[in-house]
């Protein structure tokens, strides 16, 4: 007897034969054992399509960001070079400070050279600028050592450390040199470091930047630059 709705005299439709036991007729295009679809693998000779517009836009953005990072790296390298000369002239009794200032100038010059030789890349460019600023900060600390308790030197050293810190933040893992506000803050801090160095007598406005030999780029230095 086919069940119906009580009090209505209506009969419920009967399921098709075979479906009472959960049977499903096989489908020639989607067999019951096939649970999903996977695209065929790419052949070795197949090329992945590239959006030319997106690539050009990325290249333009990288080139625009490089201007900020490169200018900051060049400024920091110049500060470090001037400080190395300053410490060498005044640090006859501070041989360790002379060596550390020269080392800072050399590493800053290496960072600038690496940036100049590579294609625009915000992450790599910002790391080079960061390392140049950090090396200039090391040289600034040596400038303070040879100047003793001079207030202007202490302020210049603090400004150099701030420039290094902001450059590090701009190059941090979260933004990788692409955040315009952080880059602008690093640019401002670098300019302040230059001004403070001039006040301390470490840099003489208009004086040629001393040349610094980059020397051999050691694996340690390249690792520090993440290159």
């Amino acid at each position: 007897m086919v069940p119906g709705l009580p009090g209505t005299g209506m009969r419920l439709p009967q399921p098709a034969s075979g479906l009472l036991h959960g049977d499903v007729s096989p489908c020639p295009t989607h067999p019951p054992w096939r649970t999903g679809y996977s695209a065929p693998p790419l052949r070795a000779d197949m090329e992945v399509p590239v959006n030319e517009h997106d690539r050009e836009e990325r290249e333009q953005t990288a080139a625009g960001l490089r201007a900020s990072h490169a200018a900051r790296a060049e400024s920091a390298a110049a500060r470090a070079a001037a400080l190395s000369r300053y410490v060498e002239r005044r640090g006859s009794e501070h041989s360790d400070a002379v060596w550390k200032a020269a080392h800072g100038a050399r590493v800053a010059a290496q960072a600038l050279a690496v940036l100049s030789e590579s294609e625009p890349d915000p992450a790599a460019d910002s790391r080079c600028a960061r390392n140049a600023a950090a090396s200039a900060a090391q040289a600034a600390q040596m400038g303070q050592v040879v100047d003793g308790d001079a207030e202007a030197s202490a302020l210049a050293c603090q400004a150099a450390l701030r420039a290094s810190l902001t450059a590090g933040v701009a190059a941090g893992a979260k933004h990788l040199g692409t955040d315009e506000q952080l880059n602008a803050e690093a640019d401002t801090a670098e300019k302040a470091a230059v001004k403070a160095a001039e006040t301390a007598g470490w840099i003489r406005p208009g004086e040629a930047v001393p040349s610094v030999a980059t020397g051999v780029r050691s694996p340690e230095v390249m690792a520090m630059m993440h290159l």
Side-chain angles (χ1 to χ4, degrees):
M1 179 178 179
V2 179
L5 296 178
T8 63
M10 296 178 62
R11 293 174 176 269
L12 293 177
Q14 298 184 57
S17 176
L19 295 183
L20 288 173
H21 303 289
D23 296 337
V24 179
S25 299
C27 174
T29 58
H30 293 81
W33 61 85
R34 189 170 182 177
T35 58
Y37 173 77
S38 59
L42 292 175
R43 300 194 310 271
D45 60 342
M46 294 179 66
E47 295 184 359
V48 178
V50 177
N51 189 317
E52 292 295 334
H53 176 73
D54 289 347
R55 182 169 65 180
E56 291 178 1
E57 187 174 356
R58 286 195 300 270
E59 291 176 351
Q60 291 174 359
T61 300
L65 290 170
R66 161 160 284 197
S68 169
H69 299 310
R72 198 170 347 109
E74 183 176 4
S75 176
R79 279 195 295 120
L83 266 159
S84 177
R85 178 174 60 186
Y86 179 88
V87 173
E88 184 179 10
R89 288 175 175 175
R90 297 177 60 91
S92 57
E93 299 179 359
H94 302 277
S95 58
D96 187 57
V98 172
W99 184 89
K100 288 182 178 179
H103 178 70
R106 183 167 56 254
V107 174
Q110 289 179 350
L112 180 60
V114 169
L115 188 153
S116 303
E117 295 166 1
S118 61
E119 293 295 324
D121 181 331
D125 294 348
S126 63
R127 287 195 296 268
C128 289
R130 173 201 66 190
N131 292 327
S135 299
Q138 175 181 309
Q141 290 175 309
M142 298 307 103
Q144 186 179 10
V145 167
V146 300
D147 282 347
D149 298 329
E151 181 180 2
S153 294
L155 293 175
C157 186
Q158 292 173 11
L161 292 172
R162 280 195 297 272
S164 176
L165 177 62
T166 55
V169 172
K174 184 176 181 180
H175 299 288
L176 298 175
T178 61
D179 189 287
E180 293 185 0
Q181 180 177 349
L182 294 179
N183 292 340
E185 291 175 0
D187 293 344
T188 300
E190 174 60 33
K191 292 176 182 177
V194 171
K195 185 66 177 177
E198 291 175 351
T199 302
W202 295 345
I203 297 176
R204 297 177 182 177
E207 190 174 52
V209 177
S211 60
V212 176
T214 58
V216 178
R217 298 173 191 172
S218 66
E220 291 78 9
V221 169
M222 300 307 288
M224 182 181 70
M225 295 183 187
H226 295 237
L227 298 172

